[in-house]
Amino acid sequence: MADEMGHEEYVGHRLIEVTLLPARVGYLIAEGSSDGFRAAVRAATHRWGGMTEPIIEMTSDADSEGVAKLIRVADVQAVVNVDADPSRATELADSWKLPVVPIVDMYEGNPWGVWEFTSRPESVSQSLIGAGADTCFRADPEGPLWAVAVAGIYEAPKNFAGYAPMLPTQLTQLGGAQSSSTTVLQQGMAGFHESMAEYDRHAHELPVVVVVAEPDSLADCLWFWNTRAMRSHARIDMPVVLFPQEAIEHWLGFANDIRFAQTRAMVRPLPDVVLVSRSLPDEALHRAAARAELVADHDVSEVRWTQRQAEDDGQVTYRIDRSFEPELFHREWGKTKASSFHQFTGPSRFDVELPELRSAPAAALLRLSGEPFAGLPRKDTVAWMITKKAASVSPLPASWHGDQLQLPVQLPWLDFPQLTLSIPRPSEIVERLLREVTTSFELSTPGGIGQKIIEQSDIQALLRTHVTEALAQLKTERTEHFLNELNRLYPDWLPMDKAKELAKEWGGRQERRFRPPTGLVGGCTSTDITPALEEACGQGWAERGLGLDCDMCSIHSFVPLHETTSPVVCPACSAPSSYQRENKKKAVEVVYRLNAFIDRAVDLGVLPHLLVVAALTDRDPSTYLLPGVDVIVDGEGNEVDIFGIHKGKVLAGEVKVKAAEFDKDGQIVRDVALSRRLGADIHLMAATDLISDDLQNEARELCQREGLELLVLHEPQLRPGLVEHRAEKQRQKEAEAAAAARTPRPRRGNSRASSAPGPEPRT
């Protein structure tokens, strides 16, 4: 590896977590379609982990937020249309941002998609085929619907037809099979590795859920299927089970089985069991519960989720709750193993340490997470940049799954599986992102200047007290002054854009301005401003010197401190002269001026752009932003003030000196639309003064409509030193007022007069 990577810069030793898991899908069936349910169960049974794949009935409320949440929690990669209306299925899949594939195409593998990267369950479970298969149950494809939902429809490979899971001789056998995990569907969960499950309620407060149904009740079977799919399978011992009425009545020892499961969990919820049904009356449920030796929980005045000690051998209680809905929870699947490699600035090859499974699946999803991907935008083009050297391993393009990089892979690999990853630099990512969404792009004039300043100095200094204010006051009035004079002398002579170009070219030919700290920034003393000016000098943005007024040539000159001479002579005409003094006193006055490059940058309005870059970089050091880009999008030319990466997201937006400029007709609408067209995740709205709540609300509404986050930066974030200075001045003012209030006031009148003797009394 050293020879291959020798020309690249070494970044360091990096850790990556490698997770292996099957792709999963959700199924759409027509309303009331029992045949569609059977077809969906058959497909799920033949997929690794298929028991966790939800089945959605295409009812009028299939587009509800509850169904959308179910799809999100299930974490499926595609939607399979079993027998639903195709146009409605496509509409729903689009709302969930998932691809849709007809069930026939899924079986034929055409088109080939990420949903195919799973395995038959026998590849990860040794109990489905072979000598031990007779201990595992499957359902008759034509049998009652409840048995199909419980056990699954399974067909073994032809060469193992004689060693396939058995049909139960009596359907009541499926009762104990659910508690002992000996159904085909449960065996197909082998190697699925539930790594994390979080409920809002403590796991020990979750009761056993028993669905009691008519044998072919589609409503009950669907509710049971999706509830079981969303229930934890490894972290919680409290199961979800389904029975027809007669089956639960004949399950001998049902109460003891529940008590045993709760003893393993160390606690018992109260009630122990919740009975749910969409098809049977309460009387039938009570009768079935009594036959199963359950005791009714009569305290139903309020919903109680309490617990008791597991060793409590009291009776197993139940409650009928037709409104019971299982809580959806956050869950993570897949077996994970840490892997490490040496990262270079170019391609970095490393040996992948795959998680060990009991049997190797034929295909799966490989998800990578860790240090190398921190701060990278979760865009497909970035995933491609990282994995473009791994195309031989992953036949489909890589994509992002949250913060994980996902690669569909075929297994097994070579004896020593390897991956070559290329972690791109932020500048490469930004360039690639712009190339994909624009016809052409280049740094604008302010953007080019700003980028140079970012590369040459620490722009975080701009956020320090009074630095920005001092730079703004030291700038030489060029461009705006030139424009104003041009407009005064020749009104409407040139279009504004042409006039600005002329001002940029000719407005910069004035002599640079220099001033002393005293009176430079309103409301600030020389003591306040001098540290800021010294900070600017330390960054190379300004220089110290002495001012000189020549009586001979009348030229006002700046003399850098290192060029001062004695005796003093005018640098223009060499006539004897003298340096400026503070208030015409004896002390020579030190003055400051900006260097030519910074002076030009401040005059062209680059300073607010740099303030934004500094503020965002202060929040996230991995931030990479361009301070001004000219882009052509859809044949239209625009300038975007800020574009780049911040906190792992693409950011674009507008920066104004005065927030009032956002109040112009259509300004915010145009800004948000441009950010959306540039593929941004975050729209930036920034100004160096205060942005009103009304303007922020207008931008927020537009961003919500376009699916963008809104980030507002204004005076409190961009000029923190100024805000602190004002607050300090206000505190001083209040302290002085308080002190004055405590000082006794002198009595009115003349004290001498009051002590003089009064007039003598009349006699």
Side-chain angles (χ1 to χ4, degrees):
M1 186 171 74
D3 292 338
E4 182 180 341
M5 309 301 174
H7 299 292
E8 301 291 348
E9 179 184 349
Y10 180 66
V11 176
H13 185 258
R14 297 288 181 260
L15 291 176
I16 286 184
E17 285 195 342
V18 181
T19 303
L20 197 66
L21 72 165
R24 288 184 294 159
V25 299
Y27 302 91
L28 291 177
I29 64 172
E31 185 172 6
S33 176
S34 295
D35 290 341
F37 181 80
R38 291 177 191 271
V41 172
R42 180 192 295 271
T45 308
H46 288 83
R47 292 170 61 86
W48 177 20
M51 194 173 76
T52 64
E53 297 181 328
I55 302 175
I56 309 299
E57 185 182 16
M58 192 71 78
T59 59
S60 58
D61 63 346
D63 57 351
S64 67
E65 176 55 34
V67 176
K69 187 176 181 180
L70 172 65
I71 291 293
R72 288 196 303 270
V73 173
D75 185 23
V76 298
Q77 282 72 54
V79 174
V80 174
N81 183 14
V82 180
D83 61 353
D85 177 69
S87 60
R88 179 70 172 135
T90 300
E91 182 182 337
L92 272 177
D94 288 344
S95 70
W96 300 329
K97 298 180 180 179
L98 291 171
V100 60
V101 54
I103 192 168
V104 174
D105 291 346
M106 186 183 73
Y107 282 131
E108 295 176 353
N110 181 29
W112 200 29
V114 66
W115 52 86
E116 289 297 307
F117 285 82
T118 184
S119 301
R120 288 181 62 95
E122 62 267 14
S123 68
V124 290
S125 175
Q126 298 173 350
S127 300
L128 291 179
I129 56 176
D134 59 355
T135 62
C136 187
F137 290 105
R138 60 186 173 92
D140 182 350
E142 305 301 326
L145 206 62
W146 79 270
V148 169
V150 164
I153 301 173
Y154 177 79
E155 298 167 356
K158 292 181 180 179
N159 53 332
F160 287 96
Y163 300 93
M166 62 186 295
L167 293 171
T169 56
Q170 294 181 343
L171 289 178
T172 54
Q173 290 177 296
L174 295 181
Q178 292 182 72
S179 64
S180 59
S181 298
T182 53
T183 67
V184 169
L185 280 168
Q186 291 167 313
Q187 286 296 304
M189 294 292 294
F192 206 56
H193 294 282
E194 181 180 287
S195 56
M196 187 274 287
E198 291 181 351
Y199 287 86
D200 291 338
R201 190 180 296 136
H202 292 299
H204 54 249
E205 297 177 358
L206 296 171
V208 174
V209 179
V210 178
V211 183
V212 187
E214 291 285 358
D216 289 314
S217 170
L218 178 62
D220 283 311
C221 289
L222 272 169
W223 193 93
F224 160 74
W225 179 278
N226 289 324
T227 301
R228 181 182 60 182
M230 294 299 100
R231 201 76 181 263
S232 174
H233 298 274
R235 302 281 165 164
I236 301 173
D237 286 323
M238 303 295 102
V240 180
V241 293
L242 168 66
F243 302 101
Q245 178 182 354
E246 61 272 16
I248 192 173
E249 290 178 357
H250 293 88
W251 184 357
L252 300 178
F254 178 71
N256 287 331
D257 288 347
I258 290 177
R259 187 179 289 113
F260 177 69
Q262 291 170 333
T263 302
R264 292 201 312 270
M266 301 304 293
V267 291
R268 295 178 60 185
L270 187 65
D272 298 285
V273 177
V274 169
L275 298 182
V276 179
S277 183
R278 301 290 192 270
S279 59
L280 292 174
D282 285 1
E283 294 77 13
L285 297 181
H286 284 302
R287 187 167 55 251
R291 291 290 299 273
E293 300 180 345
L294 305 182
V295 177
D297 175 21
H298 294 293
D299 186 4
V300 293
S301 57
E302 61 178 351
V303 177
R304 294 179 300 141
W305 296 112
T306 58
Q307 62 178 352
R308 49 184 169 166
Q309 294 302 313
E311 57 270 16
D312 183 355
D313 59 357
Q315 295 170 316
V316 177
T317 60
Y318 76 93
R319 183 172 68 238
I320 297 173
D321 188 352
R322 296 186 182 277
S323 62
F324 180 83
E325 291 293 338
E327 294 186 10
L328 299 181
F329 61 97
H330 180 56
R331 171 171 72 182
E332 292 180 3
W333 295 103
K335 192 166 185 180
T336 300
K337 186 176 181 62
S339 190
S340 64
F341 76 110
H342 294 281
Q343 181 183 338
F344 293 81
T345 54
S348 306
R349 188 181 66 237
F350 72 104
D351 294 336
V352 182
E353 298 181 35
L354 290 176
E356 295 180 4
L357 297 178
R358 191 164 55 183
S359 298
L365 299 179
L366 197 67
R367 290 180 180 167
L368 309 176
S369 60
E371 301 169 289
F373 313 124
L376 301 184
R378 276 34 180 172
K379 300 287 187 181
D380 286 346
T381 187
V382 178
W384 175 85
M385 294 174 74
I386 296 171
T387 60
K388 58 186 176 182
K389 297 290 186 181
S392 60
V393 172
S394 181
L396 291 179
S399 59
W400 291 100
H401 182 272
D403 288 334
Q404 295 175 302
L405 186 66
Q406 177 173 285
L407 292 86
V409 294
Q410 293 175 310
L411 300 169
W413 290 353
L414 301 175
D415 293 337
F416 300 98
Q418 293 179 334
L419 274 180
T420 299
L421 303 180
S422 301
I423 310 300
R425 297 181 179 91
S427 58
E428 296 171 334
I429 294 174
V430 169
E431 181 181 349
R432 179 83 187 184
L433 292 171
L434 282 172
R435 191 182 305 130
E436 288 200 342
V437 296
T438 66
T439 304
S440 64
F441 68 91
E442 63 179 357
L443 286 172
S444 62
T445 300
I449 294 175
Q451 189 67 11
K452 212 47 140 174
I453 295 172
I454 292 172
E455 295 170 357
Q456 293 176 348
S457 55
D458 178 15
I459 61 171
Q460 298 298 311
L462 293 172
L463 300 174
R464 293 167 194 149
T465 306
H466 300 312
V467 172
T468 296
E469 290 70 40
L471 295 180
Q473 293 302 316
L474 282 178
K475 78 168 183 177
T476 306
E477 299 289 348
R478 294 188 176 101
T479 304
E480 290 299 325
H481 175 74
F482 188 91
L483 278 174
N484 292 336
E485 286 298 303
L486 192 64
N487 189 54
R488 183 180 66 82
L489 296 174
Y490 308 102
D492 302 324
W493 175 55
L494 279 176
M496 183 54 67
D497 57 340
K498 299 294 184 184
K500 285 183 177 179
E501 289 298 322
L502 190 65
K504 289 178 183 179
E505 175 65 25
W506 293 94
R509 303 201 174 191
Q510 297 180 0
E511 289 295 327
R512 280 178 286 159
R513 186 183 192 183
F514 57 89
R515 295 180 62 183
T518 305
L520 183 63
V521 177
C524 297
T525 65
S526 172
T527 304
D528 296 327
I529 297 302
T530 299
L533 292 170
E534 289 299 312
E535 178 72 46
C537 291
Q539 293 296 331
W541 298 338
E543 56 184 334
R544 312 172 195 84
L546 302 177
L548 184 149
D549 292 315
C550 182
D551 295 331
M552 179 67 67
C553 64
S554 300
I555 293 178
H556 194 49
S557 300
F558 175 88
V559 182
L561 281 182
H562 66 275
E563 294 182 7
T564 55
T565 60
S566 182
V568 181
V569 295
C570 173
C573 67
S574 300
S577 187
S578 60
Y579 296 121
Q580 293 178 358
R581 300 179 182 275
E582 296 182 12
N583 299 322
K584 298 183 179 180
K585 296 179 181 178
K586 294 182 179 180
V588 174
E589 185 175 52
V590 177
V591 295
Y592 296 82
R593 76 172 179 184
L594 303 180
N595 72 39
F597 186 57
I598 297 297
D599 194 26
R600 187 72 171 142
V602 178
D603 179 55
L604 291 176
V606 177
L607 202 56
H609 299 211
L610 297 180
L611 275 171
V612 166
V613 176
L616 294 179
T617 305
D618 186 56
R619 296 183 179 192
D620 173 26
S622 66
T623 294
Y624 180 84
L625 300 169
L626 298 179
V629 188
D630 289 328
V631 298
I632 296 179
V633 184
D634 301 330
E636 180 183 348
N638 291 276
E639 180 180 1
V640 56
D641 289 343
I642 295 290
F643 183 87
I645 304 168
H646 175 62
K647 291 187 175 180
K649 296 183 179 181
V650 178
L651 178 145
E654 187 75 8
V655 183
K656 301 291 187 186
V657 176
K658 299 293 184 182
E661 297 179 47
F662 285 117
D663 205 18
K664 295 179 180 177
D665 291 341
Q667 179 67 54
I668 298 178
V669 174
R670 290 191 298 272
D671 295 343
V672 173
L674 180 58
S675 292
R676 177 186 56 78
R677 290 159 68 192
L678 291 174
D681 303 304
I682 304 172
H683 172 69
L684 173 74
M685 182 185 195
T688 55
D689 58 357
L690 291 172
I691 302 177
S692 69
D693 291 342
D694 289 343
L695 291 174
Q696 291 189 44
N697 291 334
E698 180 184 349
R700 188 169 291 106
E701 290 177 7
L702 288 168
C703 286
Q704 289 175 350
R705 195 181 307 163
E706 298 291 351
L708 298 172
E709 297 179 30
L710 175 66
L711 176 59
V712 176
L713 296 180
H714 54 159
E715 188 178 85
Q717 296 83 34
L718 300 183
R719 304 171 77 184
L722 181 61
V723 174
E724 293 171 6
H725 177 74
R726 287 175 179 167
E728 180 60 30
K729 290 294 184 182
Q730 181 63 28
R731 285 193 292 269
Q732 291 178 2
K733 184 177 180 180
E734 292 172 355
E736 291 172 358
R742 292 192 298 269
T743 303
R745 295 182 180 181
R747 296 179 180 179
R748 292 183 178 181
N750 191 313
S751 59
R752 292 182 180 179
S754 62
S755 62
E760 294 182 5
R762 295 180 181 180
T763 57

